[in-house]
Amino acid sequence: MDADLIVVGHGLAGLVATAEAVAAGSRVALVDQESQANLGGQAFWSFGGLFFVGSPEQRLMGIKDSVELAWQDWCGTAGFDRPEDHWPRRWARAYVEFASGEKRSWLAGMGMRWFPLVGWAERGGGRAGGHGNSVPRFHVTWGTGPGVVAPFEERVRAAIATGRVVLHDRHRVEELIIESGRVAGVRGVRLTPDAAARGVASSREPVGDFELRAGAVVVTSGGIGGNHDLVRAQWPARLGTAPARMHTGVPAYVDGSMQPVVQAAGGRLINGDRMWHYVEGIENWDPIWPGHAIRILGGPSSLWLDARGRRLPAPLWLGYDTLATLKHLRQSGFDYSWVLTNRAVAGKEFALSGSEQNPDLTARSIPAVLGRARTEVGPALQNFLDHGVDFLQADDIATLVAKMNGLAGSTLLDATAIERLVRDRDAQLGNPFAKDAQVVALHNARAYRGDRISKRAFPPHALLDPAYGPLVAVRMHVLTRKSLGGIETDLGARVLSVTGDPVPGLYAAGEAAGFGGGGVHGYAALEGSFLGGCLFSGRAAGRAAAADT
């Protein structure tokens, strides 16, 4: 045999599985179609948000949380309702308990730390038992995505140096070897060497074949977000029709190519119609991969309009209910929507997803982070205001709307109607009471200490007040991101067949396995739980596969 076990995919889940297997005494062959410049995969580009329950950071911010409340929120969000949700539900319960227990101490023991202001993502759909986080739980890792990847990459690189891990980069797996009813290795093609920088699309030119054998195989090959054809093929009717135009939130190698390989070996794919795509996608003014877009993580002050200029209904505001907003906008007949705000609100309430868009946090620079708090508009957002094709500015509504119509190539937007919407909203801010549900939500957000300190919920003011201008409009498209379904696994990360029996020698973790079980999030997610799912399932797969070989 070439190794005790083979790990296919060197993203976060693959690095975790490899590190855990090595710690258990195994020799690992780590295989990926990309070069080692891409170790850590999509996780490297992430904001580094992690879902914790009852953390010291939450307590510092005055947040009372519990495993019971988190489980209520998870179930209300996931909406488990299928027979195949048996294992996803069990994975979900185990993960929520992990997030409220060992997860933080395990990661802190490797040197990971978190920004003290806990974010409040996916604030919910307006029902106590429905979608959303009842309290803030989004913990940004000090160092963002690279800070999450680093401890595991360091362990894997140390094992490569000692020969405990052999890295087979630029190797694309196309078949799982089965002997005597057990998965015993992988076959595929070697790709031509490519020195492309991290994230840049690389060559797919084959230069030969390869075959590796081991006692077990762990598949951690990621999701499908870089493959728009596959996203459209699996798009669920409940979310409307798939957009004709989508932006891409992941590198091109997130292509779902291992799905048919696992199926051919007897593994079962479930919940492929469950997916997590954002509607706040903007073209990257400085792209890395094809169609590279960035997500705006917005606060509660801005107005969200559809392509015709109609205000989205409550509670479809930035940061509240991703999939409900996606469903609503897919019924509008257009592939884009608008956010209308002003420079002051955008400067404080608009965070940009991605490690490269947050250099202060990524570089772990305390002076730079403190400087962000004192800056009206940070340099990353200023770059989009200056160069982003989707960003428009003007001193008055009429001029702004004319620019919006010009960008869209239409005459759909009526300046008089939109100004009326803005003035109606502004009129609600004269006292602490309001009948406008979004203004009420803004007051509620400002009751949270973290949002007040960070000004993620900016002090209420009239959007048309010139002291906070100019006005800003942002055109947004659907941004492909996460697969919520995937390879079905039991709690030991063993891949299951259509009969529910384990496929001997085959394991799966990370996004390829729906972050655990084939769909740990059910229909929707609470955010901060994607990287955590890679960590949790990767750890389980590495330990279980090592024990099996």
Side-chain angles (χ1 to χ4, degrees):
M1 292 194 299
D2 298 286
D4 296 315
L5 64 92
I6 296 166
V7 175
V8 181
H10 64 205
L12 179 60
L15 293 180
V16 175
T18 299
E20 291 295 315
V22 168
S26 295
R27 296 177 301 113
V28 180
L30 180 56
V31 184
D32 198 284
Q33 64 183 347
E34 297 301 317
S35 72
Q36 62 177 293
N38 288 280
L39 280 174
Q42 169 60 18
F44 178 92
W45 300 105
S46 73
F47 201 11
L50 292 177
F51 179 93
F52 291 123
V53 178
S55 70
E57 291 79 15
Q58 286 178 302
R59 291 192 291 272
L60 178 66
M61 289 293 103
I63 301 164
K64 296 181 180 180
D65 201 3
S66 68
V67 67
E68 293 80 12
L69 182 61
W71 181 237
Q72 174 185 312
D73 288 346
W74 195 288
C75 290
T77 297
F80 296 123
D81 62 357
R82 297 173 174 175
E84 53 266 49
D85 284 331
H86 171 74
W87 288 111
R89 181 187 287 273
R90 293 191 62 182
W91 271 93
R93 181 66 195 188
Y95 177 69
V96 170
E97 292 176 354
F98 177 64
S100 66
E102 185 186 359
K103 178 182 178 182
R104 190 182 184 282
S105 60
W106 176 56
L107 297 173
M110 299 180 208
M112 289 176 61
R113 297 294 183 267
W114 297 274
F115 192 60
L117 299 183
V118 184
W120 197 352
E122 288 298 299
R123 300 182 189 220
R127 295 185 297 112
H131 170 72
N133 286 294
S134 297
V135 298
R137 297 189 177 106
F138 190 84
H139 297 66
V140 176
T141 303
W142 192 231
T144 65
V148 177
V149 170
F152 301 99
E153 181 178 350
E154 290 168 3
R155 292 167 69 187
V156 170
R157 287 195 182 277
I160 291 171
T162 62
R164 300 296 298 174
V165 172
V166 177
L167 178 60
H168 300 270
D169 59 355
R170 304 294 293 159
H171 284 57
R172 185 177 67 216
V173 174
E174 296 185 338
E175 181 185 357
L176 296 174
I177 300 170
I178 301 176
E179 294 180 346
S180 302
R182 182 181 178 89
V183 174
V186 298
R187 292 191 184 100
V189 297
R190 292 182 292 110
L191 302 176
T192 186
D194 193 319
R198 180 188 287 273
V200 176
S202 62
S203 169
R204 289 292 179 264
E205 181 184 354
V207 293
D209 301 324
F210 78 94
E211 183 176 294
L212 295 169
R213 293 176 179 269
V217 174
V218 181
V219 175
T220 61
S221 52
I224 68 172
N227 185 339
H228 287 194
D229 290 339
L230 191 52
V231 169
R232 291 190 179 95
Q234 297 186 181
W235 190 275
R238 67 179 178 277
L239 294 180
T241 58
R245 181 185 181 190
M246 295 185 285
H247 291 332
T248 309
V250 295
Y253 54 72
V254 185
D255 59 9
S257 60
M258 281 298 295
Q259 287 191 352
V261 175
V262 170
Q263 279 187 305
R268 184 187 186 201
L269 302 179
I270 60 174
N271 299 318
D273 64 319
R274 293 177 178 172
M275 48 187 69
W276 190 250
H277 304 307
Y278 298 110
V279 281
E280 308 100 331
I282 53 175
E283 288 190 34
N284 194 342
W285 69 275
D286 186 21
I288 297 171
W289 53 80
H292 184 189
I294 298 298
R295 181 198 178 199
I296 293 176
L297 292 81
S301 298
S302 303
L303 289 178
W304 203 338
L305 312 177
D306 68 15
R308 295 185 182 275
R310 298 171 297 197
R311 190 177 177 187
L312 270 59
L316 306 185
W317 312 307
L318 294 173
Y320 278 76
D321 193 332
T322 292
L323 287 194
T325 310
L326 174 60
K327 178 180 179 179
H328 177 84
L329 289 174
R330 292 311 309 138
Q331 295 170 349
S332 73
F334 295 88
D335 289 347
Y336 66 93
S337 62
W338 298 98
V339 163
L340 197 154
T341 188
N342 59 36
R343 177 181 170 85
V345 169
K348 292 302 181 186
E349 288 194 2
F350 282 12
L352 299 173
S353 65
S355 55
E356 81 283 7
Q357 301 297 329
N358 296 274
D360 50 352
L361 291 166
T362 301
R364 311 181 200 197
S365 170
I366 293 175
V369 170
L370 294 176
R372 179 193 290 217
R374 296 190 295 266
T375 303
E376 286 187 4
V377 176
L381 181 61
Q382 188 62 54
N383 280 330
F384 277 93
L385 287 169
D386 292 340
H387 309 295
V389 66
D390 295 310
F391 283 73
L392 303 170
Q393 300 179 73
D395 291 327
D396 60 82
I397 289 289
T399 304
L400 186 66
V401 169
K403 290 184 176 182
M404 294 162 72
N405 278 329
L407 182 60
S410 75
T411 57
L412 290 172
L413 302 177
D414 178 80
T416 301
I418 290 177
E419 183 163 359
R420 186 182 307 115
L421 285 177
V422 179
R423 291 192 182 279
D424 286 348
R425 177 263 188 204
D426 287 354
Q428 293 285 298
L429 299 172
N431 57 63
F433 312 107
K435 69 176 181 180
D436 186 283
Q438 185 175 354
V439 174
V440 173
L442 172 57
H443 290 314
N444 182 57
R446 286 190 56 76
Y448 168 45
R449 184 185 308 162
D451 278 351
R452 289 199 312 275
I453 293 172
S454 66
K455 295 187 179 178
R456 283 280 292 153
F458 198 77
H461 65 277
L463 291 178
L464 292 176
D465 187 337
Y468 297 92
L471 294 167
V472 175
V474 185
R475 182 182 62 177
M476 304 188 302
H477 287 83
V478 172
L479 174 72
T480 62
R481 188 60 67 85
K482 302 297 181 186
S483 312
L484 298 188
I487 305 165
E488 186 178 24
T489 61
D490 63 15
L491 281 178
R494 298 182 299 179
V495 173
L496 302 178
S497 70
V498 292
T499 63
D501 300 309
V503 178
L506 186 57
Y507 298 79
E511 192 173 352
F515 304 97
V520 68
H521 296 96
Y523 287 95
L526 290 172
E527 293 288 4
S529 47
F530 299 121
L531 295 178
C534 290
L535 295 168
F536 186 52
S537 63
R539 188 174 85 150
R543 292 180 177 184
D548 191 26
T549 56

